Amino acid sequence: MKRLSVLPQQCLLLMTCLLMALEAVPIDIDKTKVKAEGHVEGEKVENPDTGLYYDEYLRQVIDVLETDKHFREKLQTADIEEIKSGKLSRELDLVSHHVRTRLDELKRQEVARLRMLIKAKMDSVQDTGIDHQALLKQFEHLNHQNPDTFEPKDLDMLIKAATSDLENYDKTRHEEFKKYEMMKEHERREYLKTLDEEKRKREESKFEEMKKKHGDHPKVHHPGSKDQLKEVWEEADGLDPNEFDPKTFFKLHDVNNDGFLDEQELEALFTKELEKVYDPKNEEDDMVEMEEERLRMREHVMNEVDINKDRLVTLEEFLRATEKKEFLEPDSWETLDQQQLFTEDELKEFENHISQQEDELRKKAEELQKQKEELQRQHDQLQAQKQELQQVVKQMEQKKLQQGNPPAGPGGELKIQPPGEHKAGEAPKHPAGGDQPLPPGHVQEPAVRTDQVHP
C-alpha cells in the first residue's frame, strides 16, 4: 500500500495570518551557543503544501491579497471570528483595481482548470452535451455562478472551504491509517492460509519476534513535556540542558520568524523521539507508522497548548503551557505498538467489505471476458464470411473462363484476350504468311499438303 500522504493542516485563515502577521518581539539569544542553521534571516520561507486540490489557487490568492496595503492592515486588526464570519471578505471591495484584476484572472484560470478536470473525468461517458456549469457546483471553494470575476463571496467561500477541509483532516487521517493497519493484518492472515502447518508456525514465531524487537526501545518522552523539549535543546540545538529557557526555545524553533509555532514546526520537534522507535533499516519498523506517530504527537500538543484552536501556537500560549503540572510531571506516552488500533469485529467488517469489492471486481472481470469472447466470435464469423466470399468470387471467375468470358480486372478491363480478338491497332496475319489482312467474313481453311494427295 502506498505511503499515506502527509497533508499540512493550515486553512486559508491560518495561512493568511502566517503570511501577514507582524513579527514577534525579538528575544536575546546567545548565538554562539546555537548550532548553525541553514535558514537565513529575511529569506522567504516556502509554506508547505496544504494537500488541498485547490492548493495552488489558495496560495496565489493569498500572495495577491498580501500586496494590497489596505487589506493587509485590516487583517492585522481583525480577530479570528471576523475572518471566519466573512466580515473580512467584504473588505475586498476596497482593494486596488490592479489587485482585483489579478484576482479575476486567477479565478478564470481556476475555473478553466476545473473544467479540464471535469472533462477528463467524463471522457468515458459518451455524452457531448456536458453541462460544465452544473458540474462546477461540486467545487465549494469558489462561486461557480460568476466564473469571470473574483468577488467577496469567492474569498468567503475559499476561507470556509479550506477551514472545513483541514479541520476534518485529522479525522480522515485516523480512518485511513486504521484501514492501512487492518489491510496489513488481513494480508498477513491470508498469506498464512497458503502455508502448511510447519511453515505457518515459523511465520507466526517470526512475527511475534519482530513485534517484540520493535517494542524494545528507549523510553519515549511525553510530547511537549519539559523532558522532551530539553532533549531537543541539548541534542538538536547543542545548548546546555541546565540553561533551558522556554522563551528562547520558542524563538529558536519559530523557523520563519512569524511569531507562531505552526504544525510543521511542532512536528519537527519530535524527530529525536521517533528515532528511538523507528529505523528505516529495520525490517520490523514501518515508516508509515512513524509518520502517524509524528502526527499523533503534533495533534496531542495542539490540543494541550493551542488555547484558541487556531492551529497555531503563540509565544503566550507556549509559555502558559510550560507553567502547567503536565509540563513538569507528564503521564507516560503510549506509542502505536502499545495500543489496540482496531478490534476483531472491525477487522471482520473490513474483510467483508474487501470480499464484496473482490466479488464486484470478479463479476466485472467475468463480464469483460464474456465481451471479449463475443467480440472474438464475431471476428471469427466475419473472417469466415470473408473467406466464403473470396471463394465464391474465385469460383465465378473460373466459371467465366470455362464459358469463354475472361474475368474482369479491378477497373473492368479484360485480363486475357478471347480467341479471334486482338489488341487495338493490330491485324491478323495472312494465312499464307503475308501481311495482308483477310477479307471480311473469310474463314481460313486448313492447309492441304500436296504430297499426300491421292488420284
Side-chain angles (χ1 to χ4, degrees):
M1 179 175 178
K2 289 185 177 180
R3 180 184 179 279
L4 299 177
S5 300
V6 180
L7 306 179
Q9 293 73 50
Q10 293 174 296
C11 64
L12 173 63
L13 159 67
L14 307 182
M15 291 182 66
T16 309
C17 291
L18 183 64
L19 287 168
M20 304 183 187
L22 294 173
E23 290 200 2
V25 178
I27 302 174
D28 291 334
I29 302 174
D30 185 356
K31 297 293 184 179
T32 62
K33 296 182 179 181
V34 183
K35 290 182 179 179
E37 296 184 0
H39 176 65
V40 178
E41 188 174 355
E43 180 184 3
K44 185 176 180 180
V45 178
E46 293 294 332
N47 288 307
D49 193 328
T50 63
L52 301 174
Y53 66 89
Y54 49 90
D55 176 79
E56 184 65 21
Y57 175 63
L58 178 65
R59 291 170 181 278
Q60 290 173 339
V61 169
I62 292 172
D63 290 341
V64 172
L65 288 173
E66 189 185 14
T67 63
D68 187 85
K69 181 180 178 181
H70 170 79
F71 194 89
R72 185 186 183 95
E73 290 175 350
K74 284 292 182 182
L75 178 65
Q76 291 173 353
T77 58
D79 58 29
I80 294 173
E81 291 306 318
E82 285 180 324
I83 298 175
K84 287 185 175 180
S85 66
K87 183 177 179 180
L88 184 67
S89 300
R90 293 193 287 273
E91 297 295 330
L92 188 67
D93 289 330
L94 303 177
V95 302
S96 66
H97 175 72
H98 172 73
V99 170
R100 289 297 293 270
T101 301
R102 179 61 182 141
L103 290 173
D104 292 346
E105 182 183 349
L106 289 177
K107 183 177 179 181
R108 287 192 292 270
Q109 291 174 356
E110 178 68 358
V111 171
R113 184 184 73 87
L114 296 177
R115 284 174 173 166
M116 289 179 63
L117 290 176
I118 292 172
K119 183 179 183 301
K121 189 174 181 179
M122 302 294 289
D123 272 347
S124 59
V125 180
Q126 301 299 323
D127 183 4
T128 56
I130 298 176
D131 187 353
H132 289 90
Q133 196 67 14
L135 291 174
L136 280 171
K137 292 180 181 179
Q138 64 186 293
F139 304 111
E140 299 179 352
H141 65 287
L142 49 71
N143 179 16
H144 66 277
Q145 295 178 344
N146 182 9
D148 297 319
T149 58
F150 191 97
E151 304 296 339
K153 184 177 181 179
D154 288 288
L155 182 57
D156 186 42
M157 292 179 69
L158 186 57
I159 291 173
K160 290 179 178 178
T163 303
S164 175
D165 290 343
L166 292 170
E167 282 178 349
N168 293 326
Y169 166 73
D170 286 330
K171 181 181 178 181
T172 302
R173 176 179 53 79
H174 286 311
E175 293 173 354
E176 290 300 317
F177 180 72
K178 179 185 283 189
K179 290 179 182 178
Y180 171 76
E181 289 294 315
M182 288 193 292
M183 179 60 78
K184 276 177 59 177
E185 179 62 17
H186 168 70
E187 291 177 347
R188 187 184 75 84
R189 295 185 182 187
E190 289 298 308
Y191 172 67
L192 291 176
K193 292 178 182 179
T194 65
L195 305 178
D196 57 39
E197 185 176 356
E198 183 179 351
K199 290 182 179 179
R200 191 181 305 117
K201 287 182 179 180
R202 286 203 300 266
E203 283 296 322
E204 288 282 17
S205 177
K206 180 183 177 182
F207 176 72
E208 293 299 326
E209 182 180 345
M210 289 176 65
K211 279 180 61 177
K212 183 178 179 181
K213 185 178 179 181
H214 173 70
D216 185 17
H217 53 71
K219 178 184 177 182
V220 176
H221 293 305
H222 194 97
S225 67
K226 184 176 181 180
D227 290 339
Q228 190 258 313
L229 299 184
K230 281 183 68 176
E231 188 174 54
V232 176
W233 173 275
E234 180 180 6
E235 297 187 16
D237 300 332
L239 298 175
D240 187 345
N242 297 321
E243 297 179 4
F244 175 76
D245 177 62
K247 186 181 292 187
T248 304
F249 183 92
F250 182 94
K251 182 62 177 178
L252 281 173
H253 294 278
D254 177 16
V255 179
N256 55 6
N257 296 319
D258 62 357
F260 302 96
L261 290 182
D262 61 39
E263 295 181 336
Q264 286 67 47
E265 289 168 335
L266 277 178
E267 289 173 10
L269 301 178
F270 310 133
T271 300
K272 290 295 179 182
E273 301 304 316
L274 295 169
E275 289 176 350
K276 297 176 182 178
V277 185
Y278 298 94
D279 186 342
K281 298 177 182 178
N282 295 337
E283 182 184 2
E284 67 274 8
D285 297 338
D286 188 336
M287 294 301 103
V288 174
E289 293 178 356
M290 183 188 76
E291 290 306 317
E292 174 67 12
E293 190 79 73
R294 186 194 302 275
L295 297 178
R296 284 180 64 246
M297 290 178 173
R298 182 266 303 159
E299 187 179 358
H300 171 77
V301 172
M302 275 295 185
N303 290 335
E304 294 292 321
V305 180
D306 182 20
I307 299 174
N308 62 358
K309 305 303 177 185
D310 64 353
R311 305 176 81 89
L312 293 169
V313 177
T314 64
L315 176 61
E316 181 183 359
E317 289 173 330
F318 184 78
L319 294 179
R320 188 177 300 179
T322 62
E323 297 171 356
K324 295 180 180 180
K325 180 182 178 181
E326 292 80 2
F327 180 73
L328 300 173
E329 301 176 7
D331 297 329
S332 60
W333 177 257
E334 290 188 353
T335 54
L336 285 172
D337 56 282
Q338 297 172 307
Q339 300 182 31
Q340 183 179 7
L341 301 176
F342 54 85
T343 65
E344 281 295 322
D345 289 340
E346 288 175 325
L347 179 59
K348 185 176 180 181
E349 183 179 354
F350 177 74
E351 289 180 327
N352 289 337
H353 179 66
I354 291 177
S355 179
Q356 291 175 0
Q357 289 181 324
E358 289 176 345
D359 289 341
E360 291 175 1
L361 290 174
R362 191 178 301 109
K363 289 179 181 178
K364 289 182 180 179
E366 290 174 355
E367 290 175 2
L368 290 173
Q369 182 62 29
K370 288 180 181 179
Q371 292 176 8
K372 178 182 177 182
E373 292 174 355
E374 175 62 19
L375 289 173
Q376 184 63 44
R377 186 190 66 79
Q378 293 177 5
H379 174 74
D380 294 342
Q381 187 176 7
L382 289 173
Q383 285 294 109
Q385 290 175 356
K386 179 181 177 181
Q387 292 177 1
E388 185 177 349
L389 286 173
Q390 290 175 341
Q391 186 65 27
V392 169
V393 170
K394 186 176 181 180
Q395 292 175 355
M396 291 177 64
E397 290 180 349
Q398 290 176 349
K399 187 174 181 180
K400 286 181 181 180
L401 286 174
Q402 292 174 356
Q403 294 176 350
N405 297 324
E413 70 277 7
L414 296 179
K415 290 185 177 181
I416 59 174
Q417 298 293 332
E421 294 189 13
H422 303 275
K423 292 183 180 180
E426 293 185 0
K429 297 292 184 178
H430 191 275
D435 294 330
Q436 296 298 324
L438 295 175
H442 177 78
V443 179
Q444 181 178 346
E445 302 219 356
V448 180
R449 294 178 59 181
T450 56
D451 58 346
Q452 294 182 354
V453 176
H454 299 279

